[in-house]
Amino acid sequence: MAFVRVCALSELGEDTPKRVEIDGTPVSLVRTEGEVFAIHDVCSHANVSLSEGEVEDCRIECWLHGSAFDLRTGKPSGLPATRPVPVYPVKIEGDDVLVSVTQES
């Protein structure tokens, strides 16, 4: 699993999503409840950026239709989305946030 530095931890505001791109993959980074999460930045219901949505209770809500996704699992917690979105492993090294979007073979 290859981890890539995406930003400094100090660049992430609490409950404020930050969109990054890793090897062509759009990712939303979220710092909440003392942890940093990385979730695919495209809603599984509509092709819109999740990083433009609100964060609450370890979920990110799609701004267009209101579907919310668990930041730990990517599973939707309500309609209209029915499919989960991928989540990615995160490591913190000092002030560096590292994310892996590669799949192990």
Side-chain angles (χ1 to χ4, degrees):
M1 200 176 303
F3 282 85
V4 176
R5 183 193 183 278
V6 292
C7 69
L9 183 59
S10 58
E11 292 176 46
L12 297 177
E14 186 74 11
D15 295 332
T16 304
K18 177 180 179 72
R19 185 185 191 281
V20 297
E21 195 164 301
I22 305 167
D23 297 329
T25 301
V27 175
S28 181
L29 296 175
V30 179
R31 184 178 190 173
T32 189
E33 300 181 8
E35 294 186 66
V36 176
F37 299 94
I39 189 166
H40 194 71
D41 192 45
V42 180
C43 178
S44 62
H45 169 257
N47 191 23
V48 298
S49 176
L50 291 176
S51 62
E52 295 177 28
E54 300 288 323
V55 174
E56 187 176 341
D57 297 329
C58 214
R59 293 179 298 135
I60 190 166
E61 183 178 305
C62 177
W63 62 269
L64 188 59
H65 295 118
S67 291
F69 298 88
D70 188 298
L71 292 168
R72 296 169 293 244
T73 65
K75 292 181 181 173
S77 59
L79 297 173
T82 58
R83 294 184 326 273
V85 293
V87 294
Y88 307 107
V90 175
K91 289 196 310 191
I92 307 298
E93 292 181 354
D95 190 47
D96 293 332
V97 177
L98 298 101
V99 177
S100 176
V101 295
T102 58
Q103 299 293 325
E104 291 187 89
S105 302

